[in-house]
Amino acid sequence: MQDSKFGKVISRILPFVVLLGICVAIALIFGTIADKQLEKRAEEEQQIQTENDGAALPYGVFLNADSEVADSITGYDTVVIDAQYFEAEDITALKASGIKTVYSYLNVGSLEQFRDYYFSYEQFTLDEYENWADEKWVNVSAPEWAAFIDELADDLLAKGVDGLFVDNCDVYYQYKEENIYQGLVDILTGLKGKGCTVIINGGDVFISETISRGIAVGECFDGVNQESVYTSIVWDAEDNDSTDYDGKVVYEKSAAEDREYFTEYLDSIAAAGGAVYVIEYSDSEELAKEAAEYSEAHNWTVYVASGIELDVVKREIESYENVEVVEPVVELTEEELLEARIDEWLESHTLEERVAQLFVITPEALATDGKTITSLNTALTDGINECAVGGFIFFGRNLKDRAQTIEMLGDIAALYEDIDMPVPFLAVDEEGGLVARIGNNPAFDVESTVPMSEIGATGDVNYAYQVGSYIGSYLYELGFNMNMAPDADVLSNPSNTVIGDRSFGSDSELVAEMVIAEAQALSEQNIIFAVKHFPGHGSTAADSHNGYAYTDKTLDELFECELIPFQKAIDSGIGVIMVGHISVPNITDDDVPSSLSEYMITSLLRGEMGFDGIVITDAMNMGAVTKQYSSAEAAVLAIQAGADIILMPEDFYSAFNGLLEAVESGDISENRINESVRRILREKWQ
């Protein structure tokens, strides 16, 4: 069913006065009509008042009137004017004359050319309005338009009007899109928030949709005005001289199905507690009487206009000069907004603050007072204020019980918020089985989980998901936001001593499924996870905690086994991978650990395998690193290789200063630092 066409009338600022009941339609009052016409109108109104025993007419609409003819608007209970063309004292005078309620017209869904703000907002318009070449629909979802309507409404209400007569919500009928619907809801809710009455003209499709979504009358509108229920307008009759449309306007009785549709619709609005007004058009006294009686039978407030006059004096904009054009703000996606936020952070923070984001360390490494950290003490507070690192990793010594852990982590997070720095990674090694700082501590009253090897032996992927969900839930409750798990190592070497039962097993495909399931469960509990230890510790024979660890496999052999879980995890969209200190001499032709190898991180992991998330090193205080490199050397090599986060350097301040010196010397570019910080902030803020 087509929406109402009253918007087509008032959008042209067509002056008209309508009367209740069976009265003949009264002529329109124009803001620019001649004095002779005003005198004639006054005589007609006086006659109407006499015929109605002097009682005030219930409603009058004066859309082309202005301050010059304000004193001619008398004898009504309620009037609609375009308050943009009135002063506050005019509104006061109207009410002093006996008018109880004054509404101001406000067009939210289309834009007419005669408006003095037309050229400022023309870029937000859509197609031409039906039958009106000098009017266009407006994209009500544009924030600039919504802001303007909000400001214009404030100006109108400040003049003393009681409410707003909102037109052209029919834009949702023309463009039935969610953004258009939501734009209207936001605008109308904002208007209602000003404490005024909102009457929507037409807009039956929008209003029906709103009610169906559970928005009650009173939340974004108080009532409706519907035109042409009993009558209808034929816009394209022959022998018409108007330049706005081709045919002559003819008024006739509406089709039965149209009348039935609008009757049911309006009765439903009334039943929901909304006010109902009806406007009919007729140049036939007999049809006008029928229309009035029909509305009265339904207890609607009805007013009848004798017709739509098109040859009216319109307010025109003389030129484009001195018109302030509002430039549209491009609506950004969530991803674009995130990137813009990151850009702003990078531009507004020092190199030292950006480099600090590249470290996840023990709290003791920052406090430097030699004491075990179990709370946010003075030493740790001073350390954070001096150098707000990207995160902390906690061990059994830091975690006494549930209450202490919640307080410590909460205090650290709050301090970062107080100093306006990104939330730190608050990490722990909670794989399950033997590697569990919480699960193996009786003070937390948490049930320990079986080793991952036992879960893998069941072949039940859902078991891995359940364990991940359980671990993630208690970590989140304690205040952690990161877990250095799951373990994606394939136990391809039975003699392996560092991984053992931490692996899901020797079947790479099953390990991949288990890792992805556990990772998904952790993520659902709002825990960031780190899949480890790339390129796979399961085939090594030595322990990198103590010294040199390597695998003699070729790249093809790794792709056939150890790299399968990592590749499938990457394909599933994981965000963090931990690179181990595993040397691969048959691939790199040297003994450089993978954590410091540009080929293994940048060429293989990022290039060939397609990973663009955070690369975090394994703990840099392990023998495989400390026996060959200083803390500064290892940190520089890791960043040059493509890593983003340095985990637990043996000497944090040495590693931190080493990176700063590398940037100052040009060995590492600021762009390279920013690249890693961007990945880190993206993971923290998404």
Side-chain angles (χ1 to χ4, degrees), residues 106-155:
L106 180 61
N107 191 353
V108 304
S110 69
L111 181 60
E112 313 99 322
Q113 281 190 5
F114 65 79
R115 295 290 182 182
D116 56 8
Y117 48 80
Y118 177 82
F119 295 121
S120 295
Y121 295 92
E122 183 182 15
Q123 66 268 47
F124 302 108
T125 59
L126 304 169
D127 292 336
E128 287 186 0
Y129 198 107
E130 183 183 1
N131 294 316
W132 306 108
D134 57 357
E135 184 172 358
K136 293 182 179 179
W137 296 106
V138 174
N139 179 7
V140 292
S141 69
E144 300 86 352
W145 177 252
F148 167 70
I149 291 296
D150 186 78
E151 180 181 352
L152 179 57
D154 285 338
D155 292 341

Side-chain angles (χ1 to χ4, degrees), residues 205-284:
V205 172
F206 167 73
I207 292 174
S208 296
E209 177 67 19
T210 298
I211 293 176
S212 73
R213 296 193 185 194
I215 300 178
V217 172
E219 291 187 40
C220 66
F221 72 99
D222 298 287
V224 300
N225 179 82
Q226 183 63 51
E227 81 205 275
S228 300
V229 176
Y230 194 85
T231 63
S232 67
I233 304 172
V234 180
W235 293 85
D236 295 318
E238 297 178 356
D239 302 325
N240 174 52
D241 295 329
S242 172
T243 58
D244 289 311
Y245 50 88
D246 297 329
K248 179 182 178 181
V249 174
V250 172
Y251 312 103
E252 60 184 23
K253 188 174 180 179
S254 63
E257 60 180 17
D258 293 348
R259 190 162 59 253
E260 181 180 350
Y261 165 79
F262 282 114
T263 297
E264 182 178 352
Y265 161 67
L266 293 177
D267 284 345
S268 70
I269 297 297
V276 175
Y277 301 91
V278 172
I279 181 169
E280 302 286 3
Y281 298 98
S282 176
D283 50 9
S284 162

Side-chain angles (χ1 to χ4, degrees), residues 294-333:
Y294 186 83
S295 290
E296 289 173 345
H298 288 274
N299 294 316
W300 305 331
T301 300
V302 59
Y303 35 101
V304 182
S306 60
I308 300 173
E309 298 292 337
L310 296 178
D311 297 328
V312 297
V313 178
K314 300 185 288 291
R315 297 178 174 87
E316 299 285 357
I317 298 177
E318 296 181 358
S319 71
Y320 283 86
E321 295 180 5
N322 301 321
V323 175
E324 180 183 357
V325 177
V326 178
E327 295 297 332
V329 176
V330 178
E331 293 187 22
L332 303 178
T333 64

